[in-house]
Amino acid sequence: MPPSFDLLVIGDANPDVIIGPLDAPLAFGQREQLVDSGALTIGGSAAITACGAARLGLRVAFAGRVGDDGAGHYMRDRLAAHGVDVQALHLDESRPTPLTVIVTRDDDRAILTAPGTLAATTGADVPERLLTSARHVHSASFFLMPQLAADLPGLFDTARAAGATTSLDTNDDPSGRWDLAPLAPVLARTDILLPNADEAHRLAGTDGTSVAAAAGLLARQVPLVAVKNGADGALCHDGRTLHTTAGLRVTPQDAVGAGDSFNAGFLAARLAGRSTAEALDLAAVCGALSTRAAGGTTAQPTWEETLTHLTANGDSPS
């Protein structure tokens, strides 16, 4: 029986309130500061990745937990509107939906998150029928959901036994501890690791060396490592070969979620049978195009749009 979904995404879903750009330090003392814009949009690395993949034409399901409140219903409705199956996005009656406020300044941002249901999300929130009916399983925000993190080895085992491949984007560790012991058994079951440059250094313990060196070390633990490197493009390493891409030059309006759109592009390309180098180029275009509007999902491209920009940028999608 063919898989029901191309991609199952497991992890965080929360509204993002994005305001900025702030042209001065954030002020306390009950002072009010005015900024040019504000937006309420889909947030959470996993949720943004799911939307990006659906926009690229994949059949996507999402598994996780939100509160049975206005914010939770907003997330279910918005994900569904983007074409994501949300039957496994559970509503928790006892805890609130996570909320994130993002304050932008120049090319940087401050992120404040109230975790809500994140700490209560577990492997039990992920139905076995989805793990065994998807071509690929992706998990995000490892350090935000410790109970889910502890259950990921078993979830990935179930998916891989059914023939699926797996990927992980750990995202940042808000505690700053970067305790890698719980991560080791997950990496042993991960086919594609998708950190950004800073996360790659943290995971590899290579601060002060090149991003390529960090990727090479991580590729000893995971078959394929693809690293987002901001304005410098991206790179990936399979333990033998290093691929790089300069990406697509755009005038960004908002970089929130660009890395998650990169993830969606990389996974979509690999599931379409593209080579590692092609997947890297396509993913970098997806990440760049997503920055054209406020919010992580507003400007996510279609597959056709991605190929068009890739060709116009001088690369052949072949």
Side-chain angles (χ1 to χ4, degrees), residues 18-128:
I18 305 170
I19 58 173
L22 193 64
D23 59 6
L26 187 63
F28 288 85
Q30 302 184 56
R31 290 194 55 204
E32 185 167 1
Q33 295 171 275
L34 299 180
V35 295
D36 290 340
S37 65
L40 172 65
T41 186
I42 293 172
S45 176
I48 295 172
T49 298
C51 289
R55 178 72 171 158
L56 290 166
L58 271 62
R59 300 166 298 162
V60 182
F62 190 94
R65 184 185 295 215
V66 293
D68 188 7
D69 51 26
H73 289 276
Y74 168 84
M75 287 304 300
R76 281 178 61 94
D77 291 346
R78 296 307 301 150
L79 281 165
H82 280 75
V84 177
D85 185 294
V86 292
Q87 293 184 64
L89 180 55
H90 304 296
L91 297 176
D92 188 326
E93 296 181 354
S94 62
R95 297 173 179 85
T97 298
L99 294 172
T100 294
V101 175
I102 299 170
V103 182
T104 65
R105 185 175 65 185
D106 299 325
D107 60 351
D108 199 4
R109 58 187 182 268
I111 305 171
L112 305 173
T113 296
T117 55
L118 292 177
T121 305
T122 74
D125 292 312
V126 187
E128 183 176 351

Side-chain angles (χ1 to χ4, degrees), residues 83-179:
V84 177
D85 185 294
V86 292
Q87 293 184 64
L89 180 55
H90 304 296
L91 297 176
D92 188 326
E93 296 181 354
S94 62
R95 297 173 179 85
T97 298
L99 294 172
T100 294
V101 175
I102 299 170
V103 182
T104 65
R105 185 175 65 185
D106 299 325
D107 60 351
D108 199 4
R109 58 187 182 268
I111 305 171
L112 305 173
T113 296
T117 55
L118 292 177
T121 305
T122 74
D125 292 312
V126 187
E128 183 176 351
R129 62 175 176 79
L130 289 181
L131 291 167
T132 58
S133 63
R135 297 172 58 202
H136 185 91
V137 176
H138 174 73
S139 184
S141 298
F142 180 87
F143 296 103
L144 283 179
M145 293 171 286
Q147 291 194 74
L148 178 62
D151 292 337
L152 271 183
L155 298 178
F156 277 11
D157 278 343
T158 299
R160 288 158 67 95
T165 48
T166 59
S167 59
L168 175 69
D169 186 347
T170 65
N171 301 102
D172 189 30
D173 179 3
S175 74
R177 292 190 296 268
W178 292 90
D179 180 7

Side-chain angles (χ1 to χ4, degrees), residues 265-287:
F266 195 88
L267 297 179
R270 293 298 289 168
L271 288 169
R274 301 286 176 151
S275 70
T276 299
E278 290 172 333
L280 186 67
D281 286 335
L282 286 159
V285 170
C286 287

Side-chain angles (χ1 to χ4, degrees), residues 12 27 40 46 124 151 159 175 179 183 185 190 223 251 253-254 281 291 305:
D12 51 334
L40 172 65
D151 292 337
S175 74
D179 180 7
L183 186 61
T190 297
T251 301
Q253 179 175 335
D254 180 5
D281 286 335
T291 69
E305 186 181 6

